[in-house]
Amino acid sequence: MAVNTQQTLSAPRTTTPRLGDILVEKGFISESQLRQALEVQTSTGQRLGSVLIGSGWADEEQVTEARSVQMDVGYADVTLITPDPFALSLVPYETAQRYMLLPLSVEESPNGGPGRILLAMVDPWDVEAIDLVQRETRRRVEALLASDNGLQAALDRAYHASQNDAHTSAMTDSIELASLESVEIAVSEDEDIDLGSTTRQSGQAPVIRFVNTLFSEAVRRRTSDIHIEPRKKDFLIRYRIDGMLQTIKTVPRSLLAATVSRIKILAEMDIAERRLPLDGRISMRVEGKMVDLRVSTLPTQYGERVVMRILDRSSATRGLDEIGFSPTNLAAFQSLITKPHGIILVTGPTGSGKTTTLYAALNALKSPDVNIMTCEDPVEYELEGISQSNVNERAGLTFSRQLRAILRQDPDIVLVGEIRDQETAEIAFRAALTGHLVLSTLHCNEAAGAVSRLIDMGVAPFLIASTVIGVVAQRLVRRLCPHCKEEYFPDDDTLAMYRAMGGGNVPGMVLFKAPGCSKCDGQGTQGRMAVHEVLVANTHIHRLTMESAETNVIREAAIMNGMIPMIGDGLDKVRQGLTLLDDVQRKIGVSVGE
């Protein structure tokens, strides 16, 4: 029996039944096994239950069920029970873990009031834990006995189940109910919101718990961005996991104002301003590690849209060998960053990992005898031993103005977050001419295209040719889960795609796929890695730059100089079982028809 909340006795109990007798009566052990166990108990001093479990005559659940009879409390076999999501939502994981208890279900009250909550507990007589849960949930507790190991496993399964999103669903479902019970959300048809009421609502426990759960679930599932997207009658919670947006939950619209206000409060943003886009930042400890969230709001037709970029601080400590460089590309890039002066550009679209690559380069370069300074908008990760500074456009502190000030600080190496305009570019390029090593990012599609992009920006070709020593282009692709990936023989369509992408004919070629497992949340992928091309400038490329040559001409010269095209690096990683062919096609932009 999974749950037994009553112990039926024929008469009032006058003496406490012995554990061994109960086990024999229930048929869990024999009289002979009991006698032998009692002999072992006498000689060793062990508890009878431990002797029986250690001998293999009874399991932990049988002993626990017998103990529940002995203690005259209900018993819950948590190995067979799926807790109700609403019950889980009422008790935070930290409380459940600390007191070793698991909410199982909530019983409806016949008089319409809050019903009692059933808790499985290792110690059902823990008055402190019961009082705490009753205060937090405002419900009477019915405590049931559960086994120690069974409860711990059930806790992890219930609160951190990855394959069915049990925790996320439970918490968001609870907000729909618990918030409506305890919070009156004041939203009218014309979207007029009482600011004082909304502020009070954002501080209510259900809303706080909901927002905290969004963060903890996002971190646990390796999410890079959290999206809150308002619609006419509800709003969506979406996570970007390994570069792919996934809808996590649809939430009633009545909770939108309080949820957005709670996030704004955490990010120290103006909750009264709902007509203009706002930016903020949150730093907090989630799942045992420090994370930063960059928060952006945007007014839309149905309310404020919120996007939160999660910045994992561990990314700032990565080395060059951890971001996906192939051995050839790693050697080329290391040769560039050891040059005494010049400009190195990292190119690619937004979200392609450019900053992570630059930070890895700075980690490789930092030393007590080197002065490294950065000019960023904003500072994404804190790097020990490096002076970092923020651009503040509103205060008039632009990239160009900040860069001029940095060059008066006697730097050896300068990181410029992004070259956005001609003025910033010319200051950065002249800094390289005067003996500094400058690292920066640029928005263009390929390494060879950096020259045309800079010329379009207004930088003189001779300045580009004199300073640019190398360009890296990159994209992020999903990394196949190493725990469940397996070989397969591709079909004709896949082979046609592979050949169209420049892979050529490979008889008997084997590729890799991953069906999904518990380690990767059933996704088949676990994290992302970069695909690169590294252009090392030589005399021929400098001459082509001076002539303002077209991108395809510079590309051909770079390949002759040893550059591996990005598509080639991607296909190499496909053959090695590191990523997916579809991902390489989608991210690098090579289609079957090309």
Side-chain angles (χ1 to χ4, degrees):
M1 183 179 296
V3 178
N4 181 13
T5 60
Q6 295 181 342
Q7 299 295 346
T8 304
L9 299 176
S10 57
R13 178 178 294 179
T14 56
T15 59
T16 302
R18 295 184 302 181
L19 181 65
D21 294 338
I22 300 170
L23 287 163
V24 171
E25 182 183 346
K26 286 183 170 290
F28 295 152
I29 62 173
S30 65
E31 292 280 2
S32 173
Q33 290 169 334
L34 176 58
R35 283 194 300 271
Q36 294 179 61
L38 289 172
E39 290 174 3
V40 175
Q41 181 189 29
T42 302
S43 61
T44 63
Q46 288 182 274
R47 297 173 66 92
L48 180 61
S50 299
V51 173
L52 291 167
I53 294 172
S55 302
W57 292 329
D59 61 34
E60 187 179 15
E61 292 304 326
Q62 291 171 333
V63 171
T64 303
E65 184 174 348
R67 283 185 57 226
S68 73
V69 176
Q70 188 180 39
M71 298 167 64
D72 197 23
V73 297
Y75 163 70
D77 184 352
V78 291
T79 64
L80 304 177
I81 299 172
T82 300
D84 177 43
F86 179 49
L88 284 173
S89 73
L90 298 176
V91 180
Y93 174 72
E94 292 75 14
T95 300
Q97 181 67 43
R98 178 182 176 186
Y99 293 101
M100 284 301 289
L101 55 88
L102 177 65
L104 299 178
S105 63
V106 174
E107 296 184 353
E108 295 300 326
S109 173
N111 59 14
R116 66 177 182 171
I117 181 170
L118 266 63
L119 294 184
M121 304 179 67
V122 169
D123 181 4
W125 291 340
D126 187 340
V127 177
E128 179 185 352
I130 291 173
D131 284 348
L132 176 64
V133 173
Q134 288 184 153
R135 286 197 308 271
E136 285 193 351
T137 64
R138 292 176 292 180
R139 299 173 185 273
R140 187 169 62 84
V141 165
E142 176 78 13
L144 310 174
L145 181 67
S147 64
D148 195 335
N149 292 331
L151 186 61
Q152 183 61 65
L155 271 176
D156 295 338
R157 192 168 58 247
Y159 280 94
H160 296 297
S162 58
Q163 293 187 359
N164 57 7
D165 301 331
H167 190 186
T168 305
S169 177
M171 295 303 288
T172 48
D173 286 345
S174 76
I175 293 302
E176 299 173 15
L177 300 173
S179 296
L180 296 178
E181 286 182 4
S182 57
V183 182
E184 294 181 0
I185 308 283
V187 183
S188 64
E189 291 297 324
D190 58 357
E191 291 297 315
D192 289 334
I193 300 177
D194 185 322
L195 182 59
S197 174
T198 302
T199 304
R200 288 192 299 273
Q201 293 154 12
S202 67
Q204 294 281 348
V207 175
I208 292 173
R209 194 175 301 156
F210 176 48
V211 173
N212 288 347
T213 300
L214 291 183
F215 296 157
S216 63
E217 276 295 300
V219 170
R220 185 185 66 79
R221 299 180 62 177
R222 310 179 312 277
T223 301
S224 61
D225 302 87
I226 304 172
H227 292 236
I228 297 177
E229 304 177 9
R231 301 193 299 186
K232 188 172 184 178
K233 296 182 179 180
D234 52 35
F235 65 96
L236 296 179
I237 304 294
R238 299 212 286 172
Y239 290 167
R240 188 179 294 279
I241 302 174
D242 294 344
M244 307 294 288
L245 266 177
Q246 300 180 17
T247 299
I248 301 300
K249 188 65 182 175
T250 301
V251 187
R253 183 172 174 79
S254 57
L255 297 167
L256 178 63
T259 300
V260 173
S261 293
R262 176 62 185 168
I263 293 169
K264 282 185 170 182
I265 290 170
L266 292 173
E268 299 182 355
M269 298 159 72
D270 184 1
I271 66 170
E273 181 56 76
R274 294 181 291 110
R275 297 168 297 177
L276 297 174
L278 299 174
D279 294 302
R281 191 169 186 134
I282 302 172
S283 294
M284 58 171 53
R285 184 174 294 277
V286 180
E287 297 289 313
K289 61 182 179 181
M290 291 301 299
V291 296
D292 295 324
L293 294 94
R294 275 170 39 193
V295 183
S296 171
T297 67
L298 178 70
T300 68
Q301 179 183 6
Y302 296 119
E304 286 182 281
R305 191 182 196 278
V306 182
V307 174
M308 292 169 279
R309 168 70 57 87
I310 298 177
L311 305 173
D312 185 351
R313 293 186 181 181
S314 63
S315 298
T317 61
R318 290 181 182 173
L320 288 174
D321 57 345
E322 299 178 84
I323 57 177
F325 276 116
S326 68
T328 301
N329 284 338
L330 177 59
F333 188 65
Q334 286 176 326
S335 71
L336 291 174
I337 63 175
T338 54
K339 301 282 187 184
H341 54 79
I343 284 187
I344 302 169
L345 298 172
V346 181
T347 71
T350 301
S352 60
K354 299 186 297 295
T355 302
T356 300
T357 298
L358 289 178
Y359 279 12
L362 294 186
N363 283 325
L365 292 169
K366 67 181 180 182
S367 168
D369 58 352
V370 176
N371 181 16
I372 302 177
M373 305 190 72
T374 75
C375 172
E376 304 173 66
D377 182 24
V379 172
E380 291 196 4
Y381 306 104
E382 294 180 7
L383 297 173
E384 187 177 354
I386 294 174
S387 297
Q388 298 172 266
S389 58
N390 263 318
V391 168
N392 190 340
E393 301 260 354
R394 292 183 180 179
L397 188 59
T398 61
F399 266 113
S400 57
R401 189 171 180 181
Q402 181 89 327
L403 187 53
R404 285 193 183 95
I406 285 174
L407 294 176
R408 292 194 289 268
Q409 296 285 314
D410 188 31
D412 297 300
I413 300 170
V414 179
L415 184 150
V416 182
E418 182 184 348
I419 293 179
R420 297 180 176 176
D421 51 49
Q422 180 182 359
E423 186 179 10
T424 303
E426 289 186 348
I427 296 170
F429 278 68
R430 295 190 186 281
L433 280 176
T434 55
H436 301 88
L437 181 64
V438 180
L439 293 84
S440 189
T441 68
L442 186 70
H443 284 285
C444 62
N445 290 327
E446 58 176 312
V451 172
S452 298
R453 178 76 179 90
L454 290 168
I455 292 174
D456 288 343
M457 199 178 285
V459 182
F462 82 88
L463 201 54
I464 302 171
S466 303
T467 54
V468 173
I469 58 176
V471 184
V472 178
Q474 67 179 64
R475 302 288 189 276
L476 290 181
V477 294
R478 291 176 293 172
R479 188 190 297 269
L480 272 173
C481 175
H483 305 284
C484 63
K485 72 176 180 181
E486 57 190 28
E487 295 180 345
Y488 77 99
F489 291 103
D491 57 24
D492 292 341
D493 290 340
T494 303
L495 288 172
M497 179 191 298
Y498 181 84
R499 288 192 293 269
M501 294 168 67
N505 288 308
V506 183
M509 184 175 66
V510 174
L511 296 181
F512 294 82
K513 61 181 179 180
C517 63
S518 60
K519 299 284 188 181
C520 61
D521 288 358
Q523 299 295 315
T525 58
Q526 195 172 42
R528 289 187 289 176
M529 65 186 305
V531 175
H532 303 94
E533 61 184 17
V534 182
L535 182 155
V536 178
N538 61 3
T539 304
H540 185 200
I541 292 175
H542 287 156
R543 188 177 70 252
L544 292 174
T545 302
M546 289 286 291
E547 298 170 356
S548 301
E550 293 183 357
T551 297
N552 63 322
V553 176
I554 296 176
R555 184 194 310 120
E556 290 173 5
I559 292 173
M560 290 182 63
N561 191 38
M563 182 184 81
I564 300 172
M566 203 184 320
I567 187 64
D569 188 42
L571 291 177
D572 282 344
K573 289 180 166 103
V574 169
R575 287 191 294 269
Q576 294 171 41
L578 299 175
T579 189
L580 297 161
L581 183 64
D582 289 347
D583 248 31
V584 172
Q585 181 197 12
R586 181 168 54 87
K587 289 293 185 177
I588 300 179
V590 179
S591 66
V592 176
E594 290 183 348

